[in-house]
mmCIF file of all heavy atoms in Angstrom:
data_model
loop_
_atom_site.group_PDB
_atom_site.id
_atom_site.type_symbol
_atom_site.label_atom_id
_atom_site.label_comp_id
_atom_site.label_asym_id
_atom_site.label_seq_id
_atom_site.Cartn_x
_atom_site.Cartn_y
_atom_site.Cartn_z
ATOM 1 N N ALA A 1 -66.372 19.840 14.607
ATOM 2 C CA ALA A 1 -66.084 20.690 13.462
ATOM 3 C C ALA A 1 -67.029 21.810 13.176
ATOM 4 O O ALA A 1 -66.824 22.465 12.145
ATOM 5 C CB ALA A 1 -66.005 19.730 12.123
ATOM 6 N N LEU A 2 -67.916 21.994 14.143
ATOM 7 C CA LEU A 2 -68.990 23.045 13.906
ATOM 8 C C LEU A 2 -68.190 24.390 13.921
ATOM 9 O O LEU A 2 -67.337 24.670 14.745
ATOM 10 C CB LEU A 2 -69.961 23.082 15.044
ATOM 11 C CG LEU A 2 -71.021 21.906 14.998
ATOM 12 C CD1 LEU A 2 -71.927 22.074 16.189
ATOM 13 C CD2 LEU A 2 -71.708 21.808 13.730
ATOM 14 N N CYS A 3 -68.726 25.333 13.038
ATOM 15 C CA CYS A 3 -68.127 26.628 12.933
ATOM 16 C C CYS A 3 -69.159 27.608 12.351
ATOM 17 O O CYS A 3 -70.082 27.164 11.590
ATOM 18 C CB CYS A 3 -66.954 26.714 12.043
ATOM 19 S SG CYS A 3 -66.013 28.228 12.028
ATOM 20 N N ASN A 4 -69.081 28.860 12.794
ATOM 21 C CA ASN A 4 -70.043 29.818 12.314
ATOM 22 C C ASN A 4 -69.474 30.456 11.003
ATOM 23 O O ASN A 4 -70.272 31.236 10.409
ATOM 24 C CB ASN A 4 -70.262 30.938 13.348
ATOM 25 C CG ASN A 4 -68.997 31.659 13.738
ATOM 26 O OD1 ASN A 4 -67.958 31.101 13.915
ATOM 27 N ND2 ASN A 4 -69.037 33.001 13.718
ATOM 28 N N LEU A 5 -68.377 30.173 10.586
ATOM 29 C CA LEU A 5 -67.784 30.655 9.269
ATOM 30 C C LEU A 5 -67.708 29.505 8.339
ATOM 31 O O LEU A 5 -67.818 28.323 8.660
ATOM 32 C CB LEU A 5 -66.353 31.273 9.487
ATOM 33 C CG LEU A 5 -66.294 32.509 10.332
ATOM 34 C CD1 LEU A 5 -64.958 33.079 10.337
ATOM 35 C CD2 LEU A 5 -67.318 33.567 9.915
ATOM 36 N N ARG A 6 -67.563 29.832 7.060
ATOM 37 C CA ARG A 6 -67.336 28.756 6.005
ATOM 38 C C ARG A 6 -66.039 29.143 5.161
ATOM 39 O O ARG A 6 -66.152 29.428 3.939
ATOM 40 C CB ARG A 6 -68.619 28.722 5.152
ATOM 41 C CG ARG A 6 -69.777 28.086 5.747
ATOM 42 C CD ARG A 6 -69.486 26.670 6.206
ATOM 43 N NE ARG A 6 -70.721 26.056 6.823
ATOM 44 C CZ ARG A 6 -70.837 26.024 8.034
ATOM 45 N NH1 ARG A 6 -69.974 26.539 8.943
ATOM 46 N NH2 ARG A 6 -71.919 25.417 8.585
ATOM 47 N N CYS A 7 -64.957 29.186 5.782
ATOM 48 C CA CYS A 7 -63.748 29.578 5.099
ATOM 49 C C CYS A 7 -63.365 28.497 4.003
ATOM 50 O O CYS A 7 -63.390 27.301 4.241
ATOM 51 C CB CYS A 7 -62.574 29.690 6.119
ATOM 52 S SG CYS A 7 -62.854 30.741 7.551
ATOM 53 N N ASP A 8 -63.074 29.019 2.820
ATOM 54 C CA ASP A 8 -62.935 28.120 1.672
ATOM 55 C C ASP A 8 -61.883 27.044 1.873
ATOM 56 O O ASP A 8 -61.956 25.945 1.412
ATOM 57 C CB ASP A 8 -62.604 29.013 0.393
ATOM 58 C CG ASP A 8 -63.856 29.754 0.003
ATOM 59 O OD1 ASP A 8 -64.875 29.766 0.586
ATOM 60 O OD2 ASP A 8 -63.704 30.510 -1.033
ATOM 61 N N TYR A 9 -60.724 27.504 2.553
ATOM 62 C CA TYR A 9 -59.603 26.563 2.606
ATOM 63 C C TYR A 9 -59.635 25.796 3.882
ATOM 64 O O TYR A 9 -58.597 25.028 4.121
ATOM 65 C CB TYR A 9 -58.313 27.453 2.555
ATOM 66 C CG TYR A 9 -58.171 28.510 3.526
ATOM 67 C CD1 TYR A 9 -58.047 28.175 4.878
ATOM 68 C CD2 TYR A 9 -58.223 29.866 3.136
ATOM 69 C CE1 TYR A 9 -57.922 29.270 5.854
ATOM 70 C CE2 TYR A 9 -58.027 30.884 4.018
ATOM 71 C CZ TYR A 9 -57.885 30.604 5.386
ATOM 72 O OH TYR A 9 -57.767 31.594 6.293
ATOM 73 N N CYS A 10 -60.561 25.822 4.759
ATOM 74 C CA CYS A 10 -60.596 25.116 6.051
ATOM 75 C C CYS A 10 -60.517 23.659 5.821
ATOM 76 O O CYS A 10 -61.375 23.103 5.191
ATOM 77 C CB CYS A 10 -61.784 25.512 6.782
ATOM 78 S SG CYS A 10 -61.796 24.668 8.479
ATOM 79 N N TYR A 11 -59.525 22.993 6.335
ATOM 80 C CA TYR A 11 -59.311 21.534 6.278
ATOM 81 C C TYR A 11 -60.200 20.806 7.315
ATOM 82 O O TYR A 11 -60.410 19.673 7.170
ATOM 83 C CB TYR A 11 -57.831 21.123 6.552
ATOM 84 C CG TYR A 11 -57.367 21.347 7.958
ATOM 85 C CD1 TYR A 11 -57.431 20.413 8.843
ATOM 86 C CD2 TYR A 11 -56.872 22.648 8.402
ATOM 87 C CE1 TYR A 11 -57.024 20.645 10.142
ATOM 88 C CE2 TYR A 11 -56.482 22.842 9.656
ATOM 89 C CZ TYR A 11 -56.489 21.846 10.609
ATOM 90 O OH TYR A 11 -56.098 22.076 11.851
ATOM 91 N N TYR A 12 -60.766 21.535 8.321
ATOM 92 C CA TYR A 12 -61.505 20.861 9.343
ATOM 93 C C TYR A 12 -63.026 20.852 9.221
ATOM 94 O O TYR A 12 -63.683 19.981 9.684
ATOM 95 C CB TYR A 12 -61.139 21.321 10.729
ATOM 96 C CG TYR A 12 -61.210 20.287 11.782
ATOM 97 C CD1 TYR A 12 -60.139 19.326 11.958
ATOM 98 C CD2 TYR A 12 -62.320 20.046 12.553
ATOM 99 C CE1 TYR A 12 -60.216 18.247 12.912
ATOM 100 C CE2 TYR A 12 -62.488 19.004 13.454
ATOM 101 C CZ TYR A 12 -61.406 18.121 13.618
ATOM 102 O OH TYR A 12 -61.539 17.084 14.511
ATOM 103 N N LEU A 13 -63.527 21.837 8.507
ATOM 104 C CA LEU A 13 -64.989 22.097 8.476
ATOM 105 C C LEU A 13 -65.670 20.676 8.012
ATOM 106 O O LEU A 13 -66.818 20.299 8.519
ATOM 107 C CB LEU A 13 -65.291 23.215 7.552
ATOM 108 C CG LEU A 13 -66.707 23.636 7.519
ATOM 109 C CD1 LEU A 13 -67.149 24.148 8.905
ATOM 110 C CD2 LEU A 13 -66.878 24.760 6.489
ATOM 111 N N GLU A 14 -65.095 20.031 7.032
ATOM 112 C CA GLU A 14 -65.754 18.934 6.394
ATOM 113 C C GLU A 14 -65.734 17.649 7.229
ATOM 114 O O GLU A 14 -66.327 16.638 6.974
ATOM 115 C CB GLU A 14 -65.123 18.619 4.978
ATOM 116 C CG GLU A 14 -63.723 18.005 5.120
ATOM 117 C CD GLU A 14 -63.372 17.514 3.726
ATOM 118 O OE1 GLU A 14 -63.895 17.864 2.707
ATOM 119 O OE2 GLU A 14 -62.507 16.603 3.723
ATOM 120 N N LYS A 15 -64.945 17.736 8.417
ATOM 121 C CA LYS A 15 -64.979 16.608 9.373
ATOM 122 C C LYS A 15 -66.378 16.368 9.932
ATOM 123 O O LYS A 15 -66.673 15.310 10.444
ATOM 124 C CB LYS A 15 -63.989 16.814 10.468
ATOM 125 C CG LYS A 15 -62.541 17.176 10.005
ATOM 126 C CD LYS A 15 -61.990 16.122 9.075
ATOM 127 C CE LYS A 15 -60.611 16.438 8.635
ATOM 128 N NZ LYS A 15 -60.023 15.576 7.542
ATOM 129 N N ARG A 16 -67.253 17.340 9.765
ATOM 130 C CA ARG A 16 -68.629 17.136 10.236
ATOM 131 C C ARG A 16 -69.309 15.998 9.532
ATOM 132 O O ARG A 16 -70.235 15.312 10.073
ATOM 133 C CB ARG A 16 -69.402 18.378 10.048
ATOM 134 C CG ARG A 16 -69.670 18.728 8.643
ATOM 135 C CD ARG A 16 -70.305 20.193 8.542
ATOM 136 N NE ARG A 16 -70.849 20.575 7.171
ATOM 137 C CZ ARG A 16 -70.100 20.955 6.267
ATOM 138 N NH1 ARG A 16 -68.771 21.190 6.528
ATOM 139 N NH2 ARG A 16 -70.626 21.341 5.098
ATOM 140 N N HIS A 17 -68.834 15.589 8.348
ATOM 141 C CA HIS A 17 -69.417 14.476 7.600
ATOM 142 C C HIS A 17 -69.069 13.136 8.289
ATOM 143 O O HIS A 17 -69.678 12.116 8.030
ATOM 144 C CB HIS A 17 -68.793 14.433 6.233
ATOM 145 C CG HIS A 17 -69.326 15.634 5.387
ATOM 146 N ND1 HIS A 17 -70.701 15.813 5.106
ATOM 147 C CD2 HIS A 17 -68.699 16.637 4.757
ATOM 148 C CE1 HIS A 17 -70.870 16.918 4.333
ATOM 149 N NE2 HIS A 17 -69.656 17.431 4.146
ATOM 150 N N LEU A 18 -68.020 13.115 9.135
ATOM 151 C CA LEU A 18 -67.729 11.939 9.886
ATOM 152 C C LEU A 18 -68.732 11.651 11.006
ATOM 153 O O LEU A 18 -68.838 10.530 11.485
ATOM 154 C CB LEU A 18 -66.339 11.958 10.513
ATOM 155 C CG LEU A 18 -65.206 12.171 9.401
ATOM 156 C CD1 LEU A 18 -63.837 12.424 10.122
ATOM 157 C CD2 LEU A 18 -65.053 10.880 8.579
ATOM 158 N N TYR A 19 -69.486 12.770 11.381
ATOM 159 C CA TYR A 19 -70.410 12.601 12.498
ATOM 160 C C TYR A 19 -71.715 13.094 11.966
ATOM 161 O O TYR A 19 -71.931 14.271 11.805
ATOM 162 C CB TYR A 19 -69.915 13.368 13.670
ATOM 163 C CG TYR A 19 -68.556 12.928 14.157
ATOM 164 C CD1 TYR A 19 -67.422 13.544 13.748
ATOM 165 C CD2 TYR A 19 -68.455 11.836 15.023
ATOM 166 C CE1 TYR A 19 -66.167 13.093 14.165
ATOM 167 C CE2 TYR A 19 -67.286 11.395 15.517
ATOM 168 C CZ TYR A 19 -66.172 11.911 15.068
ATOM 169 O OH TYR A 19 -64.901 11.489 15.442
ATOM 170 N N ARG A 20 -72.632 12.250 11.773
ATOM 171 C CA ARG A 20 -73.845 12.507 11.006
ATOM 172 C C ARG A 20 -75.022 13.270 11.811
ATOM 173 O O ARG A 20 -76.057 13.502 11.251
ATOM 174 C CB ARG A 20 -74.492 11.202 10.446
ATOM 175 C CG ARG A 20 -73.682 10.613 9.241
ATOM 176 C CD ARG A 20 -73.653 11.668 8.124
ATOM 177 N NE ARG A 20 -73.038 11.112 7.002
ATOM 178 C CZ ARG A 20 -72.885 11.817 5.889
ATOM 179 N NH1 ARG A 20 -73.343 13.014 5.790
ATOM 180 N NH2 ARG A 20 -72.317 11.267 4.812
ATOM 181 N N GLN A 21 -74.691 13.536 13.145
ATOM 182 C CA GLN A 21 -75.710 14.252 13.829
ATOM 183 C C GLN A 21 -75.035 15.525 14.408
ATOM 184 O O GLN A 21 -74.689 15.638 15.549
ATOM 185 C CB GLN A 21 -76.187 13.455 15.039
ATOM 186 C CG GLN A 21 -76.937 12.187 14.613
ATOM 187 C CD GLN A 21 -77.370 11.381 15.824
ATOM 188 O OE1 GLN A 21 -76.510 10.833 16.495
ATOM 189 N NE2 GLN A 21 -78.624 11.177 16.014
ATOM 190 N N PRO A 22 -74.968 16.518 13.493
ATOM 191 C CA PRO A 22 -74.235 17.768 13.802
ATOM 192 C C PRO A 22 -74.806 18.467 15.007
ATOM 193 O O PRO A 22 -74.049 19.175 15.763
ATOM 194 C CB PRO A 22 -74.346 18.639 12.542
ATOM 195 C CG PRO A 22 -75.589 18.141 11.799
ATOM 196 C CD PRO A 22 -75.602 16.595 12.094
ATOM 197 N N GLN A 23 -76.089 18.382 15.350
ATOM 198 C CA GLN A 23 -76.582 19.085 16.546
ATOM 199 C C GLN A 23 -76.057 18.357 17.851
ATOM 200 O O GLN A 23 -76.282 18.890 18.832
ATOM 201 C CB GLN A 23 -78.128 18.861 16.464
ATOM 202 C CG GLN A 23 -78.749 17.560 16.804
ATOM 203 C CD GLN A 23 -78.857 16.727 15.477
ATOM 204 O OE1 GLN A 23 -78.160 16.956 14.479
ATOM 205 N NE2 GLN A 23 -79.594 15.588 15.632
ATOM 206 N N LYS A 24 -75.480 17.288 17.651
ATOM 207 C CA LYS A 24 -74.933 16.547 18.900
ATOM 208 C C LYS A 24 -73.342 16.676 18.874
ATOM 209 O O LYS A 24 -72.754 15.809 19.571
ATOM 210 C CB LYS A 24 -75.434 15.133 18.897
ATOM 211 C CG LYS A 24 -76.876 14.969 19.108
ATOM 212 C CD LYS A 24 -77.319 13.516 19.213
ATOM 213 C CE LYS A 24 -78.923 13.435 19.458
ATOM 214 N NZ LYS A 24 -79.269 12.034 19.558
ATOM 215 N N THR A 25 -72.755 17.533 18.121
ATOM 216 C CA THR A 25 -71.293 17.541 18.207
ATOM 217 C C THR A 25 -70.759 18.520 19.238
ATOM 218 O O THR A 25 -69.583 19.014 19.074
ATOM 219 C CB THR A 25 -70.766 17.964 16.811
ATOM 220 O OG1 THR A 25 -71.372 19.281 16.379
ATOM 221 C CG2 THR A 25 -71.110 16.932 15.770
ATOM 222 N N MET A 26 -71.505 18.898 20.253
ATOM 223 C CA MET A 26 -71.023 19.601 21.330
ATOM 224 C C MET A 26 -70.559 18.627 22.404
ATOM 225 O O MET A 26 -71.233 17.666 22.750
ATOM 226 C CB MET A 26 -72.083 20.443 21.998
ATOM 227 C CG MET A 26 -72.505 21.615 21.063
ATOM 228 S SD MET A 26 -71.199 22.886 20.849
ATOM 229 C CE MET A 26 -72.109 24.148 20.016
ATOM 230 N N MET A 27 -69.370 18.712 22.906
ATOM 231 C CA MET A 27 -68.780 17.879 23.822
ATOM 232 C C MET A 27 -69.633 17.731 25.108
ATOM 233 O O MET A 27 -69.825 18.679 25.908
ATOM 234 C CB MET A 27 -67.407 18.283 24.208
ATOM 235 C CG MET A 27 -66.611 17.233 25.152
ATOM 236 S SD MET A 27 -64.896 17.689 25.403
ATOM 237 C CE MET A 27 -64.173 17.400 23.846
ATOM 238 N N PRO A 28 -70.221 16.568 25.478
ATOM 239 C CA PRO A 28 -70.892 16.390 26.688
ATOM 240 C C PRO A 28 -70.063 16.409 27.952
ATOM 241 O O PRO A 28 -68.854 16.141 27.875
ATOM 242 C CB PRO A 28 -71.641 15.004 26.391
ATOM 243 C CG PRO A 28 -70.743 14.273 25.498
ATOM 244 C CD PRO A 28 -70.079 15.315 24.608
ATOM 245 N N GLY A 29 -70.803 16.519 29.061
ATOM 246 C CA GLY A 29 -70.032 16.615 30.331
ATOM 247 C C GLY A 29 -69.210 15.432 30.779
ATOM 248 O O GLY A 29 -68.125 15.634 31.176
ATOM 249 N N ASP A 30 -69.679 14.163 30.438
ATOM 250 C CA ASP A 30 -68.943 13.058 30.782
ATOM 251 C C ASP A 30 -67.632 12.907 30.018
ATOM 252 O O ASP A 30 -66.591 12.527 30.552
ATOM 253 C CB ASP A 30 -69.740 11.775 30.722
ATOM 254 C CG ASP A 30 -70.318 11.576 29.381
ATOM 255 O OD1 ASP A 30 -70.398 12.495 28.483
ATOM 256 O OD2 ASP A 30 -70.720 10.425 29.108
ATOM 257 N N VAL A 31 -67.766 13.284 28.715
ATOM 258 C CA VAL A 31 -66.532 13.259 27.850
ATOM 259 C C VAL A 31 -65.562 14.240 28.391
ATOM 260 O O VAL A 31 -64.304 14.025 28.453
ATOM 261 C CB VAL A 31 -66.835 13.483 26.389
ATOM 262 C CG1 VAL A 31 -65.690 13.549 25.544
ATOM 263 C CG2 VAL A 31 -67.705 12.315 25.877
ATOM 264 N N LEU A 32 -66.027 15.501 28.617
ATOM 265 C CA LEU A 32 -65.107 16.548 29.060
ATOM 266 C C LEU A 32 -64.419 16.138 30.344
ATOM 267 O O LEU A 32 -63.212 16.384 30.577
ATOM 268 C CB LEU A 32 -65.969 17.803 29.370
ATOM 269 C CG LEU A 32 -65.211 19.020 29.881
ATOM 270 C CD1 LEU A 32 -64.133 19.510 28.977
ATOM 271 C CD2 LEU A 32 -66.172 20.162 30.241
ATOM 272 N N GLU A 33 -65.150 15.628 31.352
ATOM 273 C CA GLU A 33 -64.538 15.261 32.635
ATOM 274 C C GLU A 33 -63.512 14.094 32.446
ATOM 275 O O GLU A 33 -62.396 14.123 33.003
ATOM 276 C CB GLU A 33 -65.622 14.904 33.617
ATOM 277 C CG GLU A 33 -64.971 14.470 35.022
ATOM 278 C CD GLU A 33 -65.954 14.601 36.143
ATOM 279 O OE1 GLU A 33 -67.203 14.820 35.826
ATOM 280 O OE2 GLU A 33 -65.562 14.480 37.275
ATOM 281 N N THR A 34 -63.890 13.145 31.661
ATOM 282 C CA THR A 34 -62.945 12.008 31.382
ATOM 283 C C THR A 34 -61.713 12.579 30.738
ATOM 284 O O THR A 34 -60.603 12.110 31.150
ATOM 285 C CB THR A 34 -63.598 10.919 30.525
ATOM 286 O OG1 THR A 34 -64.823 10.423 31.176
ATOM 287 C CG2 THR A 34 -62.648 9.813 30.168
ATOM 288 N N TYR A 35 -61.795 13.407 29.775
ATOM 289 C CA TYR A 35 -60.644 13.927 29.143
ATOM 290 C C TYR A 35 -59.826 14.735 30.095
ATOM 291 O O TYR A 35 -58.562 14.484 30.224
ATOM 292 C CB TYR A 35 -61.028 14.842 27.973
ATOM 293 C CG TYR A 35 -59.943 15.731 27.503
ATOM 294 C CD1 TYR A 35 -58.827 15.315 27.049
ATOM 295 C CD2 TYR A 35 -60.143 17.221 27.485
ATOM 296 C CE1 TYR A 35 -57.727 16.050 26.642
ATOM 297 C CE2 TYR A 35 -59.188 17.982 27.018
ATOM 298 C CZ TYR A 35 -57.940 17.420 26.535
ATOM 299 O OH TYR A 35 -56.952 18.253 26.155
ATOM 300 N N ILE A 36 -60.321 15.679 30.880
ATOM 301 C CA ILE A 36 -59.592 16.463 31.773
ATOM 302 C C ILE A 36 -58.881 15.605 32.864
ATOM 303 O O ILE A 36 -57.671 15.749 33.086
ATOM 304 C CB ILE A 36 -60.499 17.543 32.385
ATOM 305 C CG1 ILE A 36 -60.826 18.543 31.310
ATOM 306 C CG2 ILE A 36 -59.684 18.130 33.616
ATOM 307 C CD1 ILE A 36 -61.753 19.658 31.790
ATOM 308 N N ARG A 37 -59.607 14.670 33.418
ATOM 309 C CA ARG A 37 -59.034 13.739 34.421
ATOM 310 C C ARG A 37 -57.852 12.955 33.927
ATOM 311 O O ARG A 37 -56.804 12.961 34.488
ATOM 312 C CB ARG A 37 -60.159 12.877 34.987
ATOM 313 C CG ARG A 37 -59.708 11.832 36.037
ATOM 314 C CD ARG A 37 -60.724 10.706 36.242
ATOM 315 N NE ARG A 37 -60.717 9.932 35.042
ATOM 316 C CZ ARG A 37 -61.827 9.240 34.574
ATOM 317 N NH1 ARG A 37 -62.965 9.318 35.252
ATOM 318 N NH2 ARG A 37 -61.822 8.452 33.478
ATOM 319 N N ASP A 38 -58.142 12.386 32.664
ATOM 320 C CA ASP A 38 -57.088 11.401 32.209
ATOM 321 C C ASP A 38 -55.912 12.285 31.614
ATOM 322 O O ASP A 38 -54.751 11.744 31.680
ATOM 323 C CB ASP A 38 -57.625 10.616 31.081
ATOM 324 C CG ASP A 38 -58.680 9.552 31.591
ATOM 325 O OD1 ASP A 38 -58.875 9.562 32.780
ATOM 326 O OD2 ASP A 38 -59.111 8.764 30.764
ATOM 327 N N TYR A 39 -56.137 13.363 31.020
ATOM 328 C CA TYR A 39 -55.006 14.149 30.451
ATOM 329 C C TYR A 39 -54.208 14.622 31.568
ATOM 330 O O TYR A 39 -52.877 14.697 31.430
ATOM 331 C CB TYR A 39 -55.580 15.307 29.706
ATOM 332 C CG TYR A 39 -54.523 16.083 28.867
ATOM 333 C CD1 TYR A 39 -53.625 15.408 28.068
ATOM 334 C CD2 TYR A 39 -54.350 17.427 29.067
ATOM 335 C CE1 TYR A 39 -52.676 16.170 27.422
ATOM 336 C CE2 TYR A 39 -53.474 18.214 28.515
ATOM 337 C CZ TYR A 39 -52.624 17.588 27.546
ATOM 338 O OH TYR A 39 -51.593 18.289 26.909
#
């Protein structure tokens, strides 16, 4: 949910509260590869 803007009506920005470590909300390599392979 990370974003460089703070649009008032954005429904997704607040999803960062579901993940308490915002600095770690970049998709890691193992998740990316698993997703691409399985999808």
Side-chain angles (χ1 to χ4, degrees):
L2 289 183
C3 187
N4 61 314
L5 297 186
R6 289 296 180 266
C7 303
D8 291 358
Y9 56 67
C10 181
Y11 67 94
Y12 210 85
L13 190 63
E14 68 168 28
K15 305 305 180 187
R16 67 187 188 278
H17 292 297
L18 298 175
Y19 300 95
R20 287 301 185 180
Q21 295 177 296
Q23 72 276 14
K24 295 184 178 180
T25 58
M26 294 293 189
M27 184 176 287
D30 57 341
V31 175
L32 177 65
E33 181 160 8
T34 298
Y35 164 55
I36 289 176
R37 181 196 66 209
D38 289 3
Y39 185 56

